[in-house]
Amino acid sequence: NFISIYFLGTGSSILSALQDLFWLSKSKVEKQLQIISVLQWVLTFLVMGVACTLILMYILCTDCWAIGALYLAWLVFDWNTPKKGGRRSQWVRNWAIWRYFRDYFPIRLVKTHNLLTTRNYIFGYHPHGIMGLGAFCNFSTEATGVSQKFPGIRPYLATLAGNFRMPILRDYLMSGGICPVNRDSIDYILSKNGSGNAIIIVVGGAAESLNCTPGKNSVTLKNRKGFVKLALRHGADLVPVYSFGENEVYKQVIFEEGSWGRWVQKKFQKHIGFAPCIFHGRGLFSSNTWGLLPYSKPITTVVGEPITIPKIDNPSQKEVDFYHSIYVDSLIKLFDKYKGKFGLPETEVLEVN
C-alpha cells in the first residue's frame, strides 16, 4: 500500500509538472502569434502598398506580363468601388489573427450609449497616434465585438485616399470596411447607402500624429470643422470617441516648431497627405530593444454619446461653429469622465489644439 501511494504521488507530481509545462508552452505560442499578427499589420501599414506596386511593375516586365495586364484591367474597371462603400468581407473581419492582434496590447471597445439603426453617424476618433491601432482593431475587424455592441451599425474607417490607388492594398483595406476619407466616399455612404452607417474619421490626421508621445493627451481639433459640416449636410449624428493609451504604444522624436525637421514633415503633409515620423517601438525578439513593433500597452476606446445633428443642405459658418463647439465640449466631458478608470490622474487635462 505504501508503494502504491508513493508511486501515485510521484505520478501526480509528474502529471502536474507536465501540465505546467504544457500551459507555459501554450502561453509562449500565443504570445508569438500575437507578435506575428501585429507585425503583419505594421508591415502592411508601412510597405505593402509600395511593395505590391513594385511587384506588379516587375511582373509586367516578365513572361507573366499577361497576369499583370489582367489585374490592371480589373483595377480600371473597379477603380470607383472604394468611393461607393467598398467591398467589405465579414470573413476577413472575423479572421482569428485579429483576436491575437487585440490581445497583444490588449485593445478594448467600451460602449456608453445605444445607437439607433435609423440614423447615420460620424465618429470623431481621437487621438491619431502613430498608426491608429485602436481605430483599426475596433472598427475594421470584429475582434472587440463592434457588431455585437452596436447591432445593425456598419462601421467604415476612413483613411487616406492615396492608399486606394495601390494595387492589392486597396482590396485588403476594403475587405475590412475601410474607405477613402474624401467627400465623394463619405457623401455616398451617408446618402446612398441607407441608414445605420457609421463613418470613423481620425479628425486630427497627420498633423496630430506629429505630436503624439507617451504621457501626452492632446488633440488637433480647434480648426478641424469639415467633419461637422459633412454631418450637417447629411443630418448624421456626431459621436465623440477617445482612445486611452493610443499614444503610449510608440515613442517618437518630436521636432519643435520652426525646426528643419518640422518643416520637412509639414511639406510632406501638405503635398503627399501624410507626415513622416521618426518613431520606434520594441524589437521583434525583446522588449528591451528598439524596433517596429508597438509596445504592448493597453488601448481602451470609449464611444461617447451621440450628438443629434439636424440636416442642413448649406450650413452657415455660424451653424458649423455652433455644433463644433458642442462636439468639443462633449469630447472633453467624455475624457474627464473616463480618464480615472483607465489609469490617468484626475488632474489630467485634455489639451485641445
Side-chain angles (χ1 to χ4, degrees), residues 21 27-28 42 61 78 89 106 133 137 172 177 184 204 290 326 328 345:
L21 182 62
S27 175
K28 285 183 176 180
V42 170
C61 298
D78 195 55
S89 166
L133 295 166
C137 184
Y172 190 33
D184 289 343
W290 288 11
I326 293 176
V328 173

Side-chain angles (χ1 to χ4, degrees), residues 37-203:
S37 68
V38 174
L39 179 62
Q40 69 84 26
W41 171 246
V42 170
L43 293 177
T44 296
F45 183 90
L46 294 176
V47 302
M48 184 177 179
V50 174
C52 289
T53 301
L54 293 175
I55 290 171
L56 179 61
M57 292 172 63
Y58 172 75
I59 290 174
L60 290 170
C61 298
T62 68
D63 292 339
C64 298
W65 64 269
I67 296 174
L70 283 172
Y71 181 80
L72 283 177
W74 161 253
L75 198 61
V76 172
F77 174 78
D78 195 55
W79 191 253
N80 289 323
T81 298
K83 299 178 184 178
K84 297 180 179 180
R87 188 170 44 245
R88 80 173 52 218
S89 166
Q90 286 302 115
W91 175 66
V92 173
R93 287 174 61 89
N94 281 287
W95 276 353
I97 195 171
W98 305 132
R99 295 193 289 276
Y100 289 111
F101 183 100
R102 171 199 65 198
D103 293 340
Y104 172 85
F105 296 93
I107 296 173
R108 188 157 67 102
L109 180 65
V110 176
K111 169 186 173 180
T112 63
H113 291 78
N114 292 325
L115 299 181
L116 299 175
T117 57
T118 54
R119 300 285 293 173
N120 283 324
Y121 301 90
I122 293 180
F123 287 19
Y125 184 91
H126 314 269
H128 184 287
I130 295 292
M131 297 184 186
L133 295 166
F136 168 76
C137 184
N138 284 307
F139 302 112
S140 294
T141 80
E142 294 296 330
T144 56
V146 64
S147 293
Q148 286 72 45
K149 288 184 170 75
F150 301 103
I153 301 297
R154 292 180 298 276
Y156 294 86
L157 177 60
T159 189
L160 291 175
N163 289 324
F164 296 89
R165 301 187 187 103
M166 303 282 191
I168 309 301
L169 176 63
R170 65 191 294 274
D171 301 287
Y172 190 33
L173 295 178
M174 283 193 292
S175 67
I178 302 177
C179 69
V181 62
N182 58 31
R183 182 168 172 174
D184 289 343
S185 176
I186 294 172
D187 282 349
Y188 182 91
I189 293 171
L190 295 180
S191 64
K192 298 179 181 178
N193 203 41
S195 60
N197 302 292
I199 297 181
I200 298 87
I201 299 177
V202 186
V203 178

